[in-house]
């Protein structure tokens, strides 16, 4: 089955959008909620896209709750619908555009319903064009304007918009982040992207890189440890370029920039990503164990996989043995047109260095097939790369032209049928590699953080032993039988069987 990096939460069926009873709002204009007159709205957030959006939505939900709103059971009973969009491929945008008719009819039936559209589909520019594309929407907010949501709706308790990196700390300190998972938490550390990938909309939608202050990140990590989180995932489009935009600080005078690829970066005297990992890992209990047992991060860029970072990954016990390192193509000419500014051999050398430093490391990647000018031979080089690197998992997608990006000026010259064919060939190859890589784990014991039940028992009654799922430190999906009390615990599991996408095992001593 085709696997994509984009995680879409399912949208309810169209019928579910029929309006339910709602309090009346006094004006159809944008600043519509006059809080003296109306009941505070019940809201529903529809989140598309990657972990950044999931984390942003947690923050928006927290801000709405802090302002006195409540969460609706679903879209049908909501007075306020917030759509957190993804623009990475046209198909992601079409999902939302395709819902405009239903939302428009729901608004006609109940004029008090308000729809806010935010996320990566909202970029600076023509508001008129946005309104034509998304006619049911009342308010558009760019990702960096999400902190204004409550104020722009005129809701009580509204705070003034703050700069993004600082607003997060305020929200965390006020307990106003509505985290969706009690075991594993997102922790955004850097917003935006400064890279030069010609196909990608993210620098346009999320703006330049802005790092959160080092002490704010550490404070949030400590608060997560106190709340008992077993796993924290540091988030950013390029987490590992963290810190270059922060002021110099005497505490970090030993830090030196270590980039060998891409544009040069001035990290001297600033907290770089390796320093940040060491700082979070250094938060220990009385026995010397990291208070956050599992520390992960996505996404990393090859430019910033420095020797300092590899050393930190090798030396910090909480940092999991998994790296998601997008390659995008196995052909140097395609990489050049993509603006990735590295060669295949430079990338492979990085992976070799990493694996030498951390032998249990699992590596996953992203690939785009059918980019402008990709020949059969170039595509074959991508397949060859997959065969030689042997990734645990590959997230692959067909190239989708994004208006406004540099690649939109290149010919989209690989026909859709060939893109599909290449995607299928790549996924078939990777299925075999995934199976073989997983097979090597049979008979070994891994620590699994149990995340939930795989499926409920037939008939809905609770069985004493359930099929549970979790992840090992290498981020492999592991199924096992056990009591539901294990959810949230890290347990040793002996692997008995392997498939291309998951392992199956049982609890062991
Ligand atoms: N910042 C990360 C990086 O360096 O690759 C990931 C960014 S993006 C949110 C996730 C993936 O979407 C990319 O790695 C790329 O494979 C894919 N992607 C981005 N733009 C695309 C496009 N125009 N068409 C198809 N896939 C795209
Ligand atoms: Fe997009 Fe490239 Fe930035 Fe990743 S590094 S978000 S692929 S521009
Ligand atoms: Fe999509 Fe924006 Fe994430 S374009 S993948 S939601 S950064």
């Amino acid at each position: 089955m085709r696997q994509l990096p984009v995680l879409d939460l399912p949208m309810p069926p169209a019928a579910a959008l029929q309006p339910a009873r709602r309090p009346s709002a006094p004006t159809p204009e944008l600043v519509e909620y006059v809080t003296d007159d109306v009941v505070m709205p019940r809201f529903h957030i529809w989140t598309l896209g990657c972990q950044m959006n999931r984390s942003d939505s947690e923050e928006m939900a927290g801000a709405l709750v802090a302002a006195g709103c409540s969460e609706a059971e679903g879209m049908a009973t909501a007075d306020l619908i917030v759509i957190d969009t993804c623009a990475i491929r046209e198909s992601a945008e079409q999902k939302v555009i395709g819902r405009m008719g239903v939302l428009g009819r729901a608004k006609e039936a109940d004029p008090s319903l308000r729809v806010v559209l935010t996320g990566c589909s909202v970029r600076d520019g023509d508001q008129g064009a946005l309104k034509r594309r998304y006619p049911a929407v009342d308010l558009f907010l760019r990702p960096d304007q999400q902190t204004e949501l409550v104020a722009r709706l005129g809701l009580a308790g509204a705070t003034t918009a703050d700069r993004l990196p600082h607003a997060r700390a305020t929200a965390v300190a006020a307990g106003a982040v509505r985290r969706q998972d009690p075991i594993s938490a997102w922790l955004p550390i850097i917003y935006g992207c400064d890279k030069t990938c010609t196909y990608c909309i993210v620098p346009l939608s999320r703006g330049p890189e802005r790092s959160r202050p080092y002490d704010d990140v550490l404070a949030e990590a400590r608060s997560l440890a106190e709340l008992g989180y077993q796993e924290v995932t540091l988030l950013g489009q390029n987490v590992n370029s963290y810190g270059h935009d922060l002021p110099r600080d005497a505490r970090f005078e030993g830090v030196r920039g270590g980039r060998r690829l891409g544009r040069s970066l001035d990290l001297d005297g600033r907290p770089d990503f390796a320093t940040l990992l060491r700082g979070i890992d250094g938060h220990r209990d009385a026995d010397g164990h990291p208070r956050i047992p599992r520390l992960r991060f996505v996404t990393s860029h090859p430019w910033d996989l420095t020797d300092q970072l590899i050393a930190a990954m090798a030396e910090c016990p909480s940092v999991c043995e998994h790296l998601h390192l997008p390659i995008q193509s196995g052909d140097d000419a395609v990489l050049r047109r993509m603006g990735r500014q590295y060669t295949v051999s430079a990338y492979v050398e990085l992976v070799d260095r990493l694996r030498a430093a951390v032998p249990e490391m699992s590596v996953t990647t992203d690939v785009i097939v059918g980019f402008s000018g990709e020949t059969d031979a170039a595509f074959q080089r991508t397949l060859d790369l997959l065969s030689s690197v042997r990734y645990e998992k590959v997230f692959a997608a067909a190239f989708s032209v994004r208006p406004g990006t540099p690649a939109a000026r290149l010919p989209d010259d690989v026909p859709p049928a060939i893109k599909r064919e290449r995607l299928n060939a790549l996924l078939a190859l990777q299925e075999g590699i995934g199976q073989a890589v997983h097979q090597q784990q049979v008979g070994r014991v891994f620590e699994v953080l149990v995340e939930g039940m795989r499926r409920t028992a037939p008939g809905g009654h609770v069985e004493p032993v359930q099929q549970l799922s979790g992840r090992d430190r290498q981020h492999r999906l592991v199924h096992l039988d056990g009591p539901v009390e294990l959810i949230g615990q890290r347990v040793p599991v002996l692997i008995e069987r392997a498939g291309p996408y998951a392992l199956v095992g049982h609890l062991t001593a």
Side-chain angles (χ1 to χ4, degrees):
M1 207 184 71
R2 183 173 154 185
Q3 295 184 309
L4 299 174
V6 174
L7 309 163
D8 294 335
L9 303 186
M11 174 85 169
L17 275 178
Q18 292 314 310
R21 185 198 55 76
R22 296 191 180 87
S24 60
T27 157
E29 301 307 320
L30 274 190
V31 178
E32 57 278 83
Y33 291 105
V34 178
T35 52
D36 288 348
D37 298 353
V38 291
V39 180
M40 295 298 275
R42 284 162 296 169
F43 68 89
H44 177 79
I45 304 185
W46 177 24
T47 307
L48 298 101
C50 65
Q51 298 92 334
M52 278 312 287
N53 268 15
R54 288 185 170 215
S55 170
D56 292 347
S57 291
E58 289 184 345
E59 212 171 313
M60 285 189 285
L64 288 167
V65 169
C69 306
S70 56
E71 201 161 352
E73 304 88 62
M75 211 170 273
T77 50
D79 314 305
L80 167 66
I81 296 171
V82 180
I83 309 176
D84 200 0
T85 58
C86 172
I88 204 79
R89 283 176 285 277
E90 198 189 340
S91 53
E93 296 204 297
Q94 281 303 336
K95 275 190 192 142
V96 177
I97 293 167
R99 288 287 166 165
M100 282 299 119
V102 182
L103 283 169
R105 285 193 291 283
K107 286 185 64 168
E108 265 167 38
D110 182 351
S112 69
L113 173 64
R114 289 292 169 268
V115 180
V116 176
L117 192 115
T118 181
C120 293
S121 296
V122 186
R123 297 180 285 283
D124 267 339
D126 189 353
Q127 284 275 322
L130 276 174
K131 192 67 198 169
R132 280 193 295 282
R133 214 162 190 220
Y134 304 101
V137 172
D138 301 288
L139 173 63
F140 296 98
L141 292 176
R142 291 191 315 264
D144 64 312
Q145 293 173 321
Q146 284 168 357
T147 52
E148 299 171 24
L149 173 68
V150 167
R152 295 282 288 275
L153 289 169
L155 296 171
T159 49
T160 52
D162 200 347
R163 281 189 59 241
L164 208 50
H166 300 283
R168 171 81 186 185
T170 314
V172 170
V177 175
R178 209 165 160 78
R179 298 191 191 272
Q180 297 295 309
D181 186 329
I183 302 164
S184 191
W186 310 118
L187 201 175
I189 65 164
I190 182 168
Y191 301 97
C193 178
D194 283 354
K195 303 298 189 292
T196 51
C197 312
T198 55
Y199 50 80
C200 187
I201 198 73
V202 173
L204 301 179
S205 55
R206 295 215 168 235
E209 289 173 358
R210 285 142 294 151
S211 304
R212 291 182 61 199
Y214 178 84
D215 294 315
D216 287 1
V217 176
L218 251 60
E220 186 168 342
R222 288 209 173 97
S223 74
L224 292 170
E226 266 151 42
L227 291 167
Y229 278 94
Q230 294 290 306
E231 183 174 88
V232 169
T233 303
L234 307 179
L235 284 187
Q237 286 309 330
N238 297 283
V239 272
N240 55 352
S241 53
Y242 175 83
H244 66 88
D245 54 325
L246 293 176
R248 290 207 168 82
D249 182 325
R251 287 179 292 170
F252 310 115
E253 64 185 2
V255 176
R256 292 282 166 269
R259 251 192 202 173
R260 301 183 203 186
L261 299 171
R263 287 176 178 159
S264 65
L265 192 69
D266 180 9
L267 275 159
D268 295 359
R270 307 173 208 274
D272 66 351
F273 186 57
T275 307
L276 186 73
L277 285 182
R278 290 183 190 277
I280 298 172
D281 179 79
H283 186 41
R284 303 290 176 99
D285 64 16
D287 298 326
H289 301 303
R291 284 193 189 270
I292 296 169
R294 289 186 174 196
L295 189 55
R296 301 189 183 279
F297 50 89
V298 279
T299 297
S300 298
H301 196 287
W303 295 3
D304 293 307
L305 183 56
T306 58
D307 289 344
Q308 292 88 324
L309 175 53
I310 292 175
M313 291 177 75
E315 290 160 25
C316 294
S318 63
V319 175
C320 289
E321 295 76 21
H322 169 228
L323 185 73
H324 185 66
L325 193 67
I327 172 88
Q328 311 298 1
S329 168
D331 180 75
D332 283 340
V334 172
L335 284 176
R336 206 161 38 245
R337 278 197 301 284
M338 286 179 163
R340 293 288 290 185
Q341 298 197 40
Y342 53 76
T343 59
V344 174
S345 65
Y347 174 99
V348 170
E349 199 211 317
L350 281 177
V351 173
D352 289 346
R353 273 220 294 276
L354 180 69
R355 283 176 167 163
V358 189
E360 285 292 338
M361 182 66 60
S362 86
V363 185
T364 55
T365 201
D366 291 348
V367 172
I368 297 176
V369 303
F371 188 67
S372 173
E374 186 189 70
T375 59
D376 284 343
F379 175 63
Q380 183 58 47
R381 282 190 274 278
T382 299
L383 297 183
D384 294 345
L385 174 94
L386 263 49
S387 301
S388 67
V389 175
R390 298 173 72 72
Y391 294 101
E392 298 267 344
K393 197 167 182 177
V394 175
F395 297 89
F399 172 53
S400 166
V401 178
R402 307 288 50 227
T405 59
R409 296 195 295 272
L410 299 174
D412 185 17
D413 53 4
V414 179
I418 304 286
K419 284 182 185 172
R420 260 195 312 279
E421 215 174 87
R422 289 183 186 167
L423 193 55
N424 290 338
L426 185 149
L427 293 175
L429 173 70
Q430 179 56 33
E431 191 168 299
I433 295 171
Q435 173 73 56
V437 170
H438 280 169
Q439 199 62 40
Q440 291 170 342
Q441 316 312 330
V442 172
R444 302 184 64 200
V445 175
F446 294 98
E447 178 203 90
V448 173
L449 173 58
V450 183
E451 293 171 346
M453 279 186 294
R454 189 178 177 198
R455 58 167 183 258
T456 49
H461 62 278
V462 178
E463 296 278 351
V465 169
Q466 299 271 0
Q467 213 180 15
L468 304 172
S469 301
R471 301 250 168 206
D472 64 10
R473 287 177 58 93
Q474 286 76 7
H475 209 246
R476 291 180 289 239
L477 183 62
V478 182
H479 302 305
L480 67 150
D481 285 338
V484 287
E485 289 73 34
L486 290 185
I487 294 172
Q489 292 188 35
R490 288 174 291 124
V491 294
V493 174
L494 175 64
I495 305 302
E496 297 160 331
R497 283 180 285 130
Y501 307 112
L503 302 170
V504 181
H506 64 260
L507 268 183
T508 184

